[in-house]
Amino acid sequence: MAVRVFRSRHRPAPAAIWLPGLLVVAATFIPAWYLARRSSERGWEPWQRALENSAVPLMSRSISLALTVAVASVLIAVPAAWLTTRAALPGRRLWAILMAAPLAIPSYIVAMTVVDFLGPRGTLQGWLEPLGVERLPEIYGFWGAAFTLTAASFPYVYLVLRAAFATADVSEEEASRSLGVGPLRTFFKVVLPGLIPAIAAGVLLVVLYALSDFGAVSLLNYDTFTRSIFIEYQTSFDRTGAAVLGSMLAMVAAVILAAELGIRSRMGRRASRRQSLMRPIPLGRWTWPAIAFLGAIALFSLGIPVGVLLYWLARGIQAEAAFPDVSLAARHSLSLGLGGAVISVLLALPVAILAARYVSPLGSLAEQAAYLTHALPGVVVALALVFFGIGYARPLYQTTAMLLLAYVILFLPNALSALRASLLRQPRRLEDAGASLGRSPLGVIFSVTIPLARPGMISAGLLVFLTVMKELPATLLLSPPGYETLPGLVWSRSTDALYAGAALPALMLVGLAAIPVAVLTWRGELGSLES
């Protein structure tokens, strides 16, 4: 009797997999369809007006900010990743967690604490007044935004580099050191060239993050594309101008995303097949400077935001301030986070199976198209769904269903990346064995492939939950009337300078977001998911 062999990478995918996969990808193109339609409905005139008045300055300001943040993030992340993976550093595991922990703090929370602590007439200036310091340098504008976004985004580069260090073949490094070459020269001559693909991938992630940020640049009064789009949407009856600016930003981000995907594919091909353990390198007299360096990073990215929030909370309690009722907002945010995570993972699963288990133009097209949404900022997706809801899906407009759709469009690539990475790590011989026992391709998928994907499904769910909890512009624009969330409470209180009222929901939001960060960091998966 002939034995059936299930060679999934050389067989067509079942319709039950590629059909829902294509439908999911098609739904993510709603923002692109909106931008193309709305920005072109009045011809070239809105484009010409934008190019003459605001597009070039906004482009220059947005890109210069993103590049500055990316360079600063690399300068922080490279030594931090090396110290927490290769050096004989006291408390190395704790430092590794502290370097990843800022991912739990949204950029808008970092921004409002930076303004209070480092701004003119802020807390730090009050502490320095007895020393004769009457005013600190201005924190608003470019450098304040760059500092804030660096504190919020350097973990993306750090985690990618930690994953690169963890999977690198260290034989060349050991050979260099065995020949008497010092650690510093070995690092620059041997280690650093091998990290360039990972550094480039991390830089592109940070650039996309900085381009799409809304909360930090708004609180620090720095005009970028996202802030101008939001203001145009709120102040203008004609939304064409906002759509034109959104289209320009989407085109810039799409070019960056294409570069990221290219680097990601090269990293996959260059991944080392041989990994070896290396004895931690003694730091000697550099131990305390290394600890001071990591301590300063943790202080500015974690200590100041959390410390300022606790200070606001304590002052509010002493003054018997009126705190908002956060219980309902917390339940709403939790339900949105869990709902967005579950729906995104389930919808990403068929696309991930197509990408990881089948070699076909259809699977590649579905995967690449799904990643395109990663280039769209939340404010652009929100504008698209407002237009779509009013014009074509009126029953969904201003409902939680529309908000969940926005989260799926924004964060499907996060789930897809985690699921695909998990499936690629699993052996295909188990699926071959299932097929040899007479199961159909669809039966093998449900009985073997999906169970193999469960670890990735958990990681993907945690990653999407984290990003949903922190999302601000889509939540502000699409939440139903009176539907309070933790980001909404933080934003409304901070923009009204009611910092004591913002402290409690902000601390609760950070605490909830810290759960998936802690779990993923403890499992050692955040770096591989980001890369």
Side-chain angles (χ1 to χ4, degrees):
M1 182 176 65
V3 177
R4 296 176 60 194
V5 179
F6 179 71
R7 301 189 182 278
S8 56
R9 293 181 65 83
H10 303 285
R11 292 171 63 92
I17 293 296
W18 63 256
L19 184 58
L22 290 183
L23 290 175
V24 169
V25 172
T28 65
F29 272 81
I30 292 176
W33 163 80
Y34 159 77
L35 289 175
R37 172 170 176 169
R38 193 62 188 262
S39 64
S40 62
E41 64 184 3
R42 291 174 51 194
W44 174 247
E45 189 270 333
W47 286 82
Q48 183 177 7
R49 187 173 66 248
L51 289 171
E52 291 175 352
N53 297 333
S54 59
V56 174
L58 286 176
M59 183 82 69
S60 174
R61 293 163 70 88
S62 298
I63 292 178
S64 60
L65 176 65
L67 292 178
T68 301
V69 172
V71 171
S73 296
V74 170
L75 294 177
I76 292 171
V78 171
W82 186 85
L83 287 170
T84 56
T85 55
R86 296 291 177 84
L89 185 73
R92 187 168 64 172
R93 185 66 178 270
L94 174 62
W95 288 117
I97 295 173
L98 290 176
M99 292 300 100
L103 281 180
I105 307 179
S107 64
Y108 49 90
I109 291 180
V110 179
M112 69 184 194
T113 56
V114 163
V115 168
D116 178 82
F117 188 75
L118 297 178
R121 303 296 178 184
T123 302
L124 181 60
Q125 192 272 328
W127 293 349
L128 297 176
E129 267 189 2
L131 301 178
V133 178
E134 297 181 357
R135 186 177 179 87
L136 291 176
E138 187 67 56
I139 194 66
Y140 293 99
F142 177 85
W143 291 111
F147 174 84
T148 299
L149 288 176
T150 300
S153 62
F154 84 87
Y156 291 105
V157 187
Y158 164 78
L159 289 166
V160 172
L161 287 173
R162 266 190 65 87
F165 276 121
T167 58
D169 184 353
V170 298
S171 57
E172 292 183 0
E173 187 176 349
E174 290 174 330
S176 174
R177 291 178 57 79
S178 68
L179 294 174
V181 180
L184 193 62
R185 189 177 177 189
T186 296
F187 178 81
F188 283 103
K189 294 290 186 181
V190 179
V191 179
L192 189 60
L195 294 176
I196 288 177
I199 291 173
V203 163
L204 291 171
L205 283 172
V206 171
V207 168
L208 282 174
Y209 180 91
L211 284 175
S212 65
D213 179 79
F214 163 74
V217 295
S218 297
L219 289 172
L220 289 159
N221 295 331
Y222 185 72
D223 282 326
T224 60
F225 266 113
T226 50
R227 185 169 186 248
S228 297
I229 291 168
F230 191 85
I231 292 173
E232 186 82 17
Y233 170 80
Q234 285 195 319
T235 60
S236 176
F237 290 105
D238 183 8
R239 307 289 164 75
T240 304
V244 169
L245 293 177
S247 299
M248 293 179 180
L249 177 57
M251 285 187 283
V252 172
V255 172
I256 296 171
L257 179 63
E260 181 194 2
L261 291 174
I263 289 173
R264 183 185 303 173
S265 64
R266 286 197 294 273
M267 286 179 65
R269 289 195 296 268
R270 295 180 184 180
S272 174
R273 294 183 179 180
R274 176 181 174 268
Q275 296 137 26
S276 54
L277 297 177
M278 185 176 184
R279 181 177 298 177
I281 299 172
L283 294 176
R285 59 193 176 94
W286 292 101
T287 299
W288 285 110
I291 291 175
F293 171 74
L294 296 177
I297 297 172
L299 173 65
F300 284 107
S301 63
L302 197 63
I304 288 178
V306 174
V308 170
L309 292 177
L310 290 173
Y311 175 69
W312 287 346
L313 183 63
R315 286 189 59 183
I317 293 174
Q318 287 181 343
E320 298 182 352
F323 289 100
D325 181 8
V326 298
S327 59
L328 183 60
R331 288 199 298 271
H332 287 164
S333 291
L334 274 173
S335 62
L336 289 172
L338 293 172
V342 171
I343 296 171
S344 296
V345 170
L346 292 178
L347 294 179
L349 186 58
V351 184
I353 293 174
L354 281 174
R357 287 302 195 244
Y358 295 91
V359 173
S360 69
L362 183 65
S364 299
L365 177 64
E367 181 188 14
Q368 301 301 321
Y371 278 118
L372 286 176
T373 61
H374 190 53
L376 298 176
V379 64
V380 173
V381 172
L383 288 176
L385 292 182
V386 168
F387 177 81
F388 178 74
I390 293 174
Y392 301 94
R394 192 74 185 185
L396 295 180
Y397 181 59
Q398 292 187 328
T399 66
T400 55
M402 185 66 78
L403 187 53
L404 288 171
L405 177 59
Y407 294 147
V408 170
I409 292 174
L410 284 167
F411 307 127
L412 183 76
N414 300 44
L416 176 58
S417 177
L419 287 169
R420 182 178 181 275
S422 178
L423 284 171
L424 288 175
R425 288 194 295 264
Q426 301 297 333
R428 296 187 182 88
R429 61 178 179 269
L430 297 176
E431 293 160 315
D432 294 343
S436 69
L437 295 175
R439 291 186 181 272
S440 65
L442 189 60
V444 170
I445 287 172
F446 279 100
S447 62
V448 181
T449 306
I450 292 179
L452 287 175
R454 281 175 186 164
M457 294 172 71
I458 295 173
S459 299
L462 290 171
L463 191 61
V464 174
F465 177 83
L466 168 65
T467 48
V468 168
M469 291 294 293
K470 299 196 304 179
E471 170 58 30
L472 179 65
T475 304
L476 291 178
L477 291 175
L478 295 173
S479 291
Y483 192 85
E484 290 187 332
T485 62
L486 291 176
L489 278 181
V490 173
W491 183 256
S492 63
R493 297 303 190 275
S494 61
T495 51
D496 292 336
L498 301 174
Y499 294 125
L504 186 58
L507 284 169
M508 186 167 290
L509 176 58
V510 171
L512 291 173
I515 296 172
V517 172
V519 173
L520 290 170
T521 304
W522 187 260
R523 295 173 64 178
E525 295 182 358
L526 259 178
S528 60
L529 298 183
E530 294 296 342
S531 60

